[in-house]
C-alpha cells in the first residue's frame, strides 16, 4: 500500500488514482495524515478490506505534502555508509552518529528549496516512518514497528554545520525546506527486500549519488533497536538513515547548490522527489 498527503488529506494511492481515506471510511479515520500513525494497525486492517467500488480521483503532484507532516521526533544518522564516511574525512564509525533535523524543516516532495548560503549540499536518504511505539526493541522485531519507507533529502548547510568548537549538525541541517520527504509512504509488503534498495541523487541532470541500502553500516532494524534503547520511538517519527558517497563537499573541488539548480532524489520501488533551488536570505549565524 502507498499512502500520501494530498493537499493535507490522507490518501491511499492506487494505479487508478487516490482514495480519500476520511470519505471512504465514513469518518472513521481523520483526513489529517498525521492522525493515522497512532492507529496504524487499525488503519491497515481497514485498508486491506477495501474493494473496487471505492471512488478514486486523480492526484496532482503539486498538492503532495510530507507523508508524516508533523513528526514528534526526527532522527538522522550520519556516516552510515563507509564510502561516505571516508569522503567526508572520517574513519568508519563504530556506533551510529546520531543527530536530529528539527521538525520545522520537514516538507513535501516537490517545490522550492531556499538556499541560505554558499555551501548547501545534498544527501539522498531512505527514511523510515515509525508506525508503532517502540521501546527496547530487538533487531529481530524492529521491522514490525515501521509503518513504511519514503524518500528523503538531508540538505545541509556545511558552513553552519561546522560552526564553533563542536559540529552543529542539527542546526546546519534544519533550515526551511531542508527535510523534504515523499512522494508517499510505501508499506513493507511492497518490497521484495526492504534492506536492499537502490538510491540515487541527480543534480541538473548529472548523477551525483548512486548506492544501495544494503551498504549501510547499521541497517534499518539495527537503527530502530539502537535508538529505541535510549528514546521511545513514537508513531509518525522519522528516521533518516544516512547517505551514500557522492555529496558535493566530498568532491575536488567541492560542488554546492546554487539558485536555479534542480535536485532529483530517487529510491527504487518508492519514487522520486524534486526540488528547485531559489534565492533566500543568508543564514544569520
Amino acid at each position: 500500500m502507498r499512502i500520501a498527503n494530498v493537499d493535507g488529506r490522507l490518501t491511499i494511492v492506487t494505479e487508478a488514482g487516490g482514495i480519500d481515506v476520511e470519505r471512504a471510511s465514513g469518518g472513521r479515520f481523520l483526513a489529517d495524515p498525521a492522525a493515522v500513525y497512532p492507529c496504524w494497525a487499525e488503519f491497515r486492517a481497514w485498508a486491506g478490506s477495501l474493494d473496487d467500488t471505492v471512488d478514486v480521483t486523480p492526484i496532482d503532484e503539486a498538492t503532495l505534502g510530507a507523508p508524516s507532516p508533523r513528526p514528534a521526533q526526527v532522527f538522522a544518522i550520519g556516516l552510515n555508509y563507509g564510502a561516505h564516511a571516508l569522503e567526508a574525512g572520517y574513519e568508519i564509525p563504530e556506533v551510529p552518529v546520531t543527530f536530529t533535523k528539527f521538525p520545522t524543516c520537514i516538507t513535501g516532495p516537490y517545490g522550492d528549496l531556499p538556499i541560505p548560503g554558499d555551501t548547501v549540499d545534498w544527501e539522498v536518504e531512505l527514511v523510515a516512518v515509525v508506525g508503532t511505539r517502540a521501546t527496547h526493541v530487538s533487531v529481530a522485531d524492529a521491522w514490525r514497528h515501521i509503518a513504511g519507507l519514503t524518500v528523503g533529502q538531508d540538505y545541509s548547510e556545511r558552513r553552519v554545520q561546522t560552526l564553533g568548537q563542536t559540529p552543529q549538525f542539527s542546526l546546519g541541517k534544519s533550515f526551511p525546506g531542508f527535510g523534504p520527504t515523499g512522494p508517499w509512504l510505501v508499506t513493507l509488503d511492497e518490497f521484495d527486500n526492504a534492506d536492499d534498495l537502490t538510491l540515487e541523487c541527480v543534480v541538473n541532470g548529472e548523477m551525483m549519488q548512486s548506492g544501495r541500502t544494503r551498504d549501510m553500516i547499521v541497517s534499518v532494524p539495527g537503527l530502530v533497536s539502537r535508538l529505541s534503547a535510549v528514546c521511545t520511538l513514537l508513531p509518525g517519527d522519522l528516521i533518516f538513515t544516512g547517505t551514500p558517497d557522492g555529496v558535493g563537499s566530498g568532491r575536488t573541488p567541492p560542488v554546492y547548490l546554487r539558485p536555479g539548480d534542480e535536485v532529483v532524489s530517487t529510491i527504487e520501488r518508492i519514487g522520486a522527489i524534486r526540488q528547485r533551488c531559489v534565492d533566500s536570505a543568508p543564514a544569520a549565524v
Side-chain angles (χ1 to χ4, degrees), residues 59-172:
I59 295 175
D60 179 358
E61 73 169 29
T63 66
L64 289 173
S68 181
R70 295 189 305 280
Q73 302 175 106
V74 180
F75 299 92
I77 307 300
L79 310 179
N80 200 26
Y81 291 74
H84 172 56
L86 296 175
E87 75 173 350
Y90 294 92
E91 294 183 359
I92 295 175
E94 296 181 2
V95 296
V97 176
T98 306
F99 55 96
T100 188
K101 292 173 75 71
F102 296 111
T104 53
C105 79
I106 301 300
T107 188
Y110 308 117
D112 291 343
L113 174 70
I115 301 296
D118 292 333
T119 55
V120 176
D121 207 345
W122 57 83
E123 295 188 12
V124 61
E125 306 206 7
L126 179 73
V127 177
V129 183
V130 176
T132 305
R133 185 183 181 97
T135 304
H136 296 289
V137 172
S138 70
V139 172
D141 289 338
W143 273 123
R144 69 183 182 87
H145 291 273
I146 297 300
L149 303 173
T150 193
V151 183
Q153 256 289 348
D154 177 21
Y155 286 115
S156 309
E157 215 301 332
R158 299 298 190 193
R159 181 186 68 83
V160 175
Q161 182 182 331
T162 56
L163 280 176
Q165 294 175 306
T166 57
Q168 302 278 353
F169 272 53
S170 299
L171 199 61

Side-chain angles (χ1 to χ4, degrees), residues 83-84 87 120-124 153 155 158 198-212 243-258 261-266:
H84 172 56
E87 75 173 350
V120 176
D121 207 345
W122 57 83
E123 295 188 12
V124 61
Q153 256 289 348
Y155 286 115
R158 299 298 190 193
T198 300
L199 66 170
E200 298 177 341
C201 177
V202 173
V203 179
N204 297 330
E206 180 180 354
M207 183 74 73
M208 296 296 188
Q209 292 180 278
S210 181
R212 297 196 71 87
T243 197
D245 61 311
V247 300
S249 57
R251 297 172 181 271
T252 305
V255 178
Y256 296 112
L257 295 172
R258 296 289 182 264
D261 289 347
E262 182 183 72
V263 183
V264 179
S265 308
T266 306

